[in-house]
Amino acid sequence: MTGWTGRNVLYFGDHVYGDLAEPSLRNGWRTGAIIGELKDEIAVYNSEAFRQKLALKSSLEHLIERLQMSKGHENIRNAREQWKVERNELKEQVKDLMHPKFGSIFRCHNNPSYFFRRLSRFADLYTWHLCNFVHYPPDRTFYPKRYSLPHERFFMRKPLFDSHHQSET
């Protein structure tokens, strides 16, 4: 019909295995997933309650990590244990904001969920509704984001190019 083949085809579907796996594996097509639940998750991510709880949880994790090496003072150990309790409570509260029974369909606490790993294997992009692409030109190219692996996080913290610390010549 169009003469398009392989990577020149973008095919959308709403089922990872039923719609996306075969076109991706057999035909080499680019695929897009329609995930209706994403709309609700984005609303939660943008809520003030979610942002506050996640920021507090991250701050507590940072404090706990920094004080793990402090063996000495009993007050430090007590504070660290109390922060662990608070952190666990916040972890459950963040999960409950998504869905009270199973949390996010994309994450299992800090890690990608099994669903997301399968989705990312067979879908080049995803959205909650196809109409979300109406504002992009037809020749728009979407590039995948690079996710840091645990061993990369330490050396990726500093920017490669820092305009504030350029050497003068």
Side-chain angles (χ1 to χ4, degrees), residues 12-124:
F12 282 90
D14 64 357
H15 191 276
V16 174
Y17 294 110
D19 294 332
L20 305 176
E22 186 174 337
S24 176
L25 295 172
R26 183 175 292 183
N27 303 323
W29 293 355
R30 301 272 185 195
T31 56
I34 307 298
I35 311 296
E37 295 86 354
L38 183 60
K39 182 179 182 181
D40 295 333
E41 288 211 13
I42 290 172
V44 172
Y45 291 144
N46 288 321
S47 72
E48 192 62 31
F50 179 83
R51 290 173 187 242
Q52 287 176 350
K53 289 178 187 304
L54 195 61
L56 182 54
K57 179 180 158 287
S58 295
S59 296
L60 286 172
E61 289 169 347
H62 179 74
L63 286 170
I64 293 165
E65 283 182 345
R66 294 211 34 162
L67 292 177
Q68 283 184 33
M69 302 306 286
S70 300
K71 304 281 187 218
H73 204 272
E74 186 177 337
N75 288 342
I76 292 175
R77 285 193 308 271
N78 291 340
R80 190 175 59 228
E81 292 307 311
Q82 179 58 38
W83 291 338
K84 285 180 182 179
V85 170
E86 289 178 41
R87 180 233 175 239
N88 289 336
E89 290 171 359
L90 284 165
K91 183 172 93 168
E92 290 304 313
Q93 290 172 17
V94 166
K95 182 188 118 200
D96 289 347
L97 286 172
M98 290 295 176
H99 188 280
K101 296 232 187 279
F102 58 83
S104 169
I105 64 169
F106 295 95
R107 288 194 174 278
C108 181
H109 299 296
N110 291 334
N111 299 312
S113 67
Y114 180 79
F115 170 78
F116 179 76
R117 290 194 313 270
R118 296 298 87 206
L119 177 67
S120 62
R121 168 71 176 93
F122 296 114
D124 295 294

Side-chain angles (χ1 to χ4, degrees), residues 124-142:
D124 295 294
L125 50 91
Y126 60 90
T127 182
W128 65 270
H129 198 279
L130 196 55
C131 290
N132 291 332
F133 292 102
V134 75
H135 300 290
Y136 294 103
D139 61 346
R140 163 69 191 239
T141 301
F142 293 92

Side-chain angles (χ1 to χ4, degrees), residues 4-17:
W4 298 338
T5 60
R7 296 314 230 180
N8 294 320
V9 175
L10 176 59
Y11 177 82
F12 282 90
D14 64 357
H15 191 276
V16 174
Y17 294 110

